[in-house]
Amino acid sequence: MKKVLSFFRSMKFGLILLGLIALISIAGSVIPQGEEAMYYVRNYSWYGILLKLQLNHVFTSWYFVVLVVLLCINLAMCSVLRWRRIDPEKEISAVSLGKADVTAPQEELALIEDTLEKHHCHKTEIAGVKVYEKNRIGRYGTFITHLGILLTVIFFAMAMYTPTVIDQTCMPKDSITMDDGTQIYVDSFHIEDQTGDLDYRSTIEVTLPDGTSSSLRETSVNHPVALGDYKVYQQTYGTIGSVTVTDDDGNEDHIYLEDNVFLSKDGHTGIYFNALYPDFEQDGDDFSLTTSVTGSYPNPVYTFNLVEYNDEESNENDDLKMTPMLAFPGDDIEAGGLHFHFEDPTEYPGLRIKKSSRIISLLLILSFLIMTIGFVLTFLFQPVLVGIYEDGYHIYGNKPEDVRMMIRMALKNRRK
C-alpha cells in the first residue's frame, strides 16, 4: 500500500499524466470537436476508430476526465507532502550542531551579525550558536508552485465543463434572446469574401440585460465576440430559400422556405416547395441539378409543385393536380390568389453561444498568479543559513553566493 501511495504522489507519475494529457489535447486540437457523426464519416477514412475512441469530444471523454482527476490527486498529495516537509527549525538545529569553516575574530563576527540583521535575515539562537536565515520564505516555493498547478487544473476543468453551450441558427437582421434577457443580433453573414475565397464571418451585436452592448463586431470560428459571461463563436452555416408572398389585397409577407412546405391561401391551391439546389448544368435539352457545392450558391434553383384542384369545391385526391416546376431568383408565380416572388437565397450563420462565469475566469487567473509566485520563490529565493560560532562562521544552502558577497563587502568596507 505504501508503494502505491508513494507512486501516486511521485513526480514520475505526475509527468506521465501530464504527457498523456498533452497528447490527448493535441488530438483534440487537430481533430474538429463536437461535430455530427456524419461529418467524421465523410471526412475521415478511419472514422470507426475515431468515434470509438471518442476523439470527436476528447475533452469530455471518460479517459480524459480520469487523467485530470488523477493529476489533481497527484498534485494534492505532492502539495501535502511538501507542506509537511517544511520545517526550518529542524535545519536550524542541525546548523547549531555544526562547526565554522571560516575562522574570524569577534569584531568581524559582530560586523557580520550586524550586516545580516540590516538585511532582515531571520535570527535564531540555539545553545549559544546564532543562526541567521536569508530567503526564509523560499522554503514555501515548491508547496506554492504545486498548489498553483493544482488550482490551475481544477479551475481550468471548471472553465471547460461548467459553461452552458447552445448552438443556435439565426437569420440576418434577426436576433436571439437568451433566458436571462441577453440579446444576440445578427446584422449580416457571408460565406465568401469579395475575392470568392471561403471566409465564414458573422457581424453580430451582443446586448446584456443592463443595456451594455458590444456594438457590431465580426465573429469567426476562432475569434468570438465576448461580453460579460458570453462568448459567441461562428460555428456552422447554411443557405435557405426565401420568397415574398403578396395577396390580392396587397398584404405582403417574407417567408423562408424549408423543405416540403405548402404555401396556400385557401388550403387547396398553392405551391408545395420541395428543395433549393445550389447549381445546375444544362447541355441542350438535358437539365440536371447540382446537389451540393462548396461556398455560396452560384446558380440557385427552386423546385416545387404547383398544386391545383380540377374542381374548386372539391378536396378529393382524384381531383388533385400537381405540376412540377422550377424557379430562379427573380421569377414570379401566381397560384390560388397569391403572388410568389422568388428571392435570392439567404445565407445564415450557426452560432455557438457559450456562457461561463467570470468568477471562474478570475479564479483561473489567480491560480496562474499563485503558480508564478511559487516559481519565483523556488528559483530566486532559495534559503541560505549562516551559523555564527565562537571561532567563525559557516554558510549553508544551495546558492550562498549572495550572502558570501554581502559578508565580503561588509568586511572590505570595514578594513577601508
Side-chain angles (χ1 to χ4, degrees):
M1 188 63 181
K2 288 184 178 180
K3 289 184 177 179
V4 174
L5 290 175
S6 178
F7 178 71
F8 265 87
R9 68 191 181 198
S10 66
M11 182 178 292
K12 180 180 179 181
F13 183 55
L15 291 175
I16 291 173
L17 292 173
L18 285 173
L20 291 174
I21 290 173
L23 287 175
I24 295 173
S25 299
I26 291 172
S29 300
V30 173
I31 300 172
Q33 300 291 290
E35 301 289 346
E36 296 291 337
M38 285 305 300
Y39 172 86
Y40 303 99
V41 173
R42 289 194 300 266
N43 293 279
Y44 295 91
S45 59
W46 49 286
Y47 65 88
I49 298 175
L50 186 151
L51 295 174
K52 191 170 183 179
L53 294 179
Q54 301 180 24
L55 294 178
N56 57 326
H57 58 95
V58 294
F59 299 112
T60 55
S61 62
W62 66 267
Y63 52 85
F64 187 83
V65 174
V66 168
L67 288 174
V68 171
V69 171
L70 288 176
L71 181 61
C72 289
I73 294 173
N74 172 262
L75 291 170
M77 295 178 72
C78 286
S79 299
V80 171
L81 184 64
R82 278 161 174 76
W83 177 259
R84 288 179 176 178
R85 287 179 178 174
I86 299 173
D87 188 3
E89 303 306 322
K90 185 177 180 180
E91 288 192 38
I92 291 172
S93 298
V95 171
S96 67
L97 298 174
K99 296 181 179 180
D101 69 337
V102 179
T103 57
Q106 289 299 319
E107 304 114 23
E108 289 188 356
L109 291 178
L111 178 61
I112 291 172
E113 288 184 52
D114 184 58
T115 301
L116 294 172
E117 288 179 0
K118 285 181 179 179
H119 285 81
H120 308 289
C121 296
H122 180 267
K123 178 184 177 181
T124 305
E125 187 171 344
I126 302 178
V129 177
K130 297 173 183 177
V131 181
Y132 291 86
E133 185 175 15
K134 182 176 174 59
N135 298 334
R136 185 183 180 90
I137 194 174
R139 296 184 180 277
Y140 301 90
T142 54
F143 167 74
I144 294 175
T145 299
H146 281 80
L147 178 63
I149 296 174
L150 174 61
L151 293 176
T152 299
V153 173
I154 292 174
F155 293 139
F156 181 78
M158 292 176 64
M160 179 179 293
Y161 299 124
T162 59
T164 55
V165 178
I166 300 173
D167 291 335
Q168 184 77 48
T169 59
C170 186
M171 299 299 165
K173 308 302 180 184
D174 202 352
S175 62
I176 303 167
T177 302
M178 309 303 294
D179 292 339
D180 63 357
T182 297
Q183 284 195 336
I184 301 170
Y185 169 73
V186 177
D187 184 70
S188 62
F189 169 73
H190 64 257
I191 296 176
E192 299 176 349
D193 60 18
Q194 295 179 349
T195 63
D197 294 330
L198 295 178
D199 184 29
Y200 311 107
R201 292 180 181 271
S202 300
T203 301
I204 69 172
E205 180 180 14
V206 180
T207 305
L208 300 180
D210 63 2
T212 304
S213 172
S214 66
S215 70
L216 290 175
R217 291 168 54 189
E218 276 195 342
T219 177
S220 56
V221 176
N222 295 316
H223 299 86
V225 171
L227 184 67
D229 292 342
Y230 285 93
K231 286 186 178 180
V232 184
Y233 298 81
Q234 171 63 49
Q235 175 73 1
T236 59
Y237 70 94
T239 303
I240 192 169
S242 62
V243 62
T244 300
V245 184
T246 308
D247 63 16
D248 294 336
D249 297 327
N251 299 315
E252 187 176 278
D253 194 9
H254 184 266
I255 299 173
Y256 291 109
L257 295 173
E258 297 182 0
D259 292 353
N260 304 319
V261 62
F262 180 51
L263 302 178
S264 173
K265 182 178 181 180
D266 57 10
H268 298 283
T269 304
I271 63 172
Y272 184 85
F273 175 70
N274 293 317
L276 172 69
Y277 289 87
D279 201 356
F280 65 90
E281 293 181 3
Q282 188 170 10
D283 183 11
D285 294 333
D286 294 332
F287 188 92
S288 61
L289 297 172
T290 302
T291 57
S292 64
V293 295
T294 301
S296 298
Y297 286 13
N299 299 296
V301 182
Y302 292 90
T303 64
F304 63 95
N305 290 319
L306 181 61
V307 181
E308 300 173 290
Y309 283 88
N310 296 326
D311 184 350
E312 292 184 0
E313 297 182 358
S314 174
N315 193 22
E316 300 295 333
N317 289 335
D318 293 341
D319 296 321
L320 177 65
K321 180 182 179 183
M322 299 184 68
T323 306
M325 299 186 70
L326 301 177
F328 301 91
D331 287 351
D332 294 283
I333 300 292
E334 298 282 347
L338 296 176
H339 177 84
F340 299 92
H341 179 75
F342 290 90
E343 310 280 356
D344 287 321
T346 299
E347 299 172 343
Y348 63 91
L351 302 176
R352 171 152 291 181
I353 306 167
K354 183 177 180 181
K355 182 182 180 182
S356 57
S357 173
R358 281 177 288 182
I359 295 177
I360 295 177
S361 300
L362 292 174
L363 290 174
L364 185 58
I365 295 172
L366 179 62
S367 65
F368 274 113
L369 180 61
I370 292 173
M371 183 171 56
T372 303
I373 291 173
F375 282 128
V376 171
L377 293 178
T378 300
F379 296 106
L380 300 182
F381 291 86
Q382 295 192 15
V384 178
L385 292 93
V386 182
I388 306 295
Y389 303 95
E390 292 182 357
D391 56 346
Y393 64 92
H394 195 157
I395 301 176
Y396 302 83
N398 293 327
K399 291 187 175 182
E401 293 81 7
D402 291 344
V403 176
R404 292 187 191 278
M405 181 64 69
M406 182 196 311
I407 292 174
R408 285 199 202 100
M409 291 299 295
L411 294 176
K412 185 177 179 181
N413 292 334
R414 175 182 175 276
R415 294 188 183 108
K416 287 182 177 180

